[in-house]
Amino acid sequence: MLLITRFGLTSAIAVLFSAASAQNAFTGAVGFGAIATGGNSGATYHVTTLADSGNGSFRDAVSAENRNIVFDVSGYIVLESAVSLSSSITINGQTAPSPGIGIMAGEVSASDKSNIIIRNLRMRQGNLDSDSGKSAFNMGGATNIILDHCSVAYGQWDSIDGVGITNITISNSIIAFPIGQQFGAHIEGNQATYFGNLWVSGHNRQPLSKANSQYINNVVYNYQAGYTVANTGGVFSHDIIHNYFIAGPSTTSVSNYYYQINAGQSVYATGNYADTDSDGVLNGAQENKVGSAVVLSAPWASDSATMADRSAADAYTYVLANAGASPRDEVDAFAVSTVQSLGTEGVIYTNQASTGLSNGGYGTL
Ligand SMILES: *[C@@H]1O[C@H](CO)[C@@H](O)[C@H](O)[C@H]1NC(C)=O
Ligand SMILES: *[C@@H]1O[C@H](CO)[C@@H](O)[C@H](O)[C@H]1NC(C)=O
């Protein structure tokens, strides 16, 4: 009797805690990374130049903790080397004047850091970075990180690398056109949320998630493999709810919307659709059989059901209108129009220039 009471009390506290934590990062933040407070209460730092370094630069802005970073300039910052973030910072890309702010030609790294909020930032590494072992965004070993309304493209190793994470969210973001290994996100660790993202023309890892995970309202287009666990790294629980997988010209095996999800994994999958006929019309069918995983009859995470209030079809409309950094620029408009071809357009690129977009494929900001 006492045990039951104590269990009930603990659950109630856990629910209250998760409801409260969702407001920490910013209004509307969801998932495990929403626990981050970043530099919200810190000193405001104004980025005043697109220069790689020096006073007023992005590199200088992120070089100290407890900063709330805003942008007085717009355009691309062309990195001369990887830029390393400090813990407890908030990067408010939405403060940049139109057409917004982007980072190109190098990796943005939160490796081994904690408590970081990044919003409305374009991170486009591309092969102007000579280090093909780096990614567009790296959060290896990092804790309590939320990436929201970001646009990540042209990653060489991965678009997003996060081995050894704790409590991360990737939400409302466009993760497109990985080059090099052509991978979306490689996440391993403890508790990851992927919500409302648009994954475009990746070979694999959209994401690879060796973690207890929430994968909700994502749209994956022109995949060779979609949601992947890989048959190594341990046994995890996965809530896979109301996602839309859409095959494209590069899709060689349509049923690889779920990939390498072995018998040890536990999966709650409902309301997921796959449109596999590449006929230019959104007309998928439900696909909730996830490999040989153990089938859960309810979500493992307490907030997955409320997070999943859009159907897969509604998620398609919402994500195409909403995902990525705002305002939407040339690269993201191209990513979205590629998806809107619903099967007829899409290339898994080996370099950004092959997109044919301006500025050597990076698009003009
Ligand atoms: C650095 O930039 C800030 C903001 O633009 C300015 O107020 C300050 O005087 C600059 N400091 C130096 C050493 O140039
Ligand atoms: C991760 O999030 C959980 C809530 O889901 C929280 O209890 C835990 O303290 C967080 N971990 C860290 C290192 O903050």
Side-chain angles (χ1 to χ4, degrees):
M1 190 59 161
L2 181 62
L3 266 180
I4 291 166
T5 305
R6 289 183 60 176
F7 179 75
L9 185 59
T10 308
S11 300
I13 290 169
V15 167
L16 283 174
F17 182 79
S18 90
S21 73
Q23 300 307 315
N24 281 348
F26 48 86
T27 303
V30 297
F32 295 109
I35 194 172
T37 54
N40 287 355
S41 57
T44 298
Y45 185 110
H46 289 258
V47 174
T48 54
T49 175
L50 298 176
D52 170 82
S53 59
N55 192 27
S57 67
F58 178 69
R59 191 182 298 278
D60 190 54
V62 301
S63 66
E65 298 186 3
N66 300 311
R67 283 183 174 171
N68 190 30
I69 296 160
V70 300
F71 295 84
D72 298 350
V73 289
S74 61
Y76 268 122
I77 296 162
V78 185
L79 293 184
E80 292 170 14
S81 61
V83 62
S84 184
L85 308 182
S86 299
S87 295
S88 299
I89 58 171
T90 299
I91 299 173
N92 298 295
Q94 69 276 12
T95 58
S98 183
I101 195 82
I103 313 282
M104 62 179 266
E107 181 183 82
V108 177
S109 177
S111 180
D112 296 326
K113 301 304 194 305
S114 63
N115 192 32
I116 296 174
I117 301 167
I118 306 179
R119 302 190 76 197
N120 285 277
L121 188 67
R122 298 160 187 82
M123 290 176 273
R124 297 178 179 145
Q125 180 197 21
N127 64 12
L128 287 188
D129 184 351
S130 59
D131 191 343
S132 60
K134 289 201 183 311
S135 303
F137 180 66
N138 176 8
M139 55 176 153
T143 299
N144 298 352
I145 309 288
I146 185 164
L147 219 63
D148 181 70
H149 281 102
C150 287
S151 294
V152 186
Y154 309 139
Q156 295 198 69
W157 190 252
D158 294 299
S159 298
I160 299 172
D161 199 89
V163 176
I165 57 88
T166 301
N167 292 344
I168 60 118
T169 292
I170 302 169
S171 56
N172 302 306
S173 292
I174 294 180
I175 299 136
F177 310 129
I179 60 173
Q181 296 200 103
Q182 303 170 320
F183 290 149
H186 178 179
I187 304 297
E188 298 190 27
N190 186 22
Q191 303 199 125
T193 303
Y194 316 92
F195 173 80
N197 303 299
L198 184 61
W199 309 75
V200 186
S201 292
H203 164 58
N204 191 340
R205 303 184 179 172
Q206 310 192 77
L208 164 62
S209 195
K210 299 184 193 180
N212 291 332
S213 303
Q214 298 172 291
Y215 189 67
I216 298 170
N217 282 174
N218 293 274
V219 176
V220 186
Y221 180 73
N222 195 30
Y223 56 91
Q224 288 180 330
Y227 189 86
T228 304
V229 177
N231 293 322
T232 58
V235 172
F236 304 102
S237 298
H238 310 262
D239 290 339
I240 303 176
I241 309 176
H242 298 175
N243 301 287
Y244 222 125
F245 301 91
I246 306 167
S250 312
T251 304
T252 40
S253 182
V254 294
S255 60
N256 283 350
Y257 32 76
Y258 306 124
Y259 189 62
Q260 292 183 334
I261 301 183
N262 60 318
Q265 309 299 322
S266 295
V267 174
Y268 177 76
T270 188
N272 300 292
Y273 279 71
D275 182 353
T276 59
D277 62 6
S278 299
D279 65 348
V281 180
L282 189 68
N283 52 5
Q286 285 222 43
E287 294 292 353
N288 298 309
K289 170 85 179 81
V290 181
S292 49
V294 175
V295 175
L296 298 176
S297 58
W300 73 270
S302 62
D303 58 351
S304 291
T306 39
M307 210 183 293
D309 60 349
R310 284 184 188 83
S311 68
D314 287 350
Y316 175 85
T317 307
Y318 172 76
V319 166
L320 264 63
N322 173 69
S326 185
R328 195 164 271 174
D329 69 356
E330 196 182 340
V331 175
D332 286 352
F334 177 62
V336 168
S337 71
T338 300
V339 177
Q340 286 168 330
S341 79
L342 290 167
T344 63
E345 290 169 25
V347 174
I348 298 179
Y349 294 105
T350 55
N351 64 78
Q352 68 281 348
S354 297
T355 59
L357 300 179
S358 71
N359 191 22
Y362 285 95
T364 303
L365 278 182

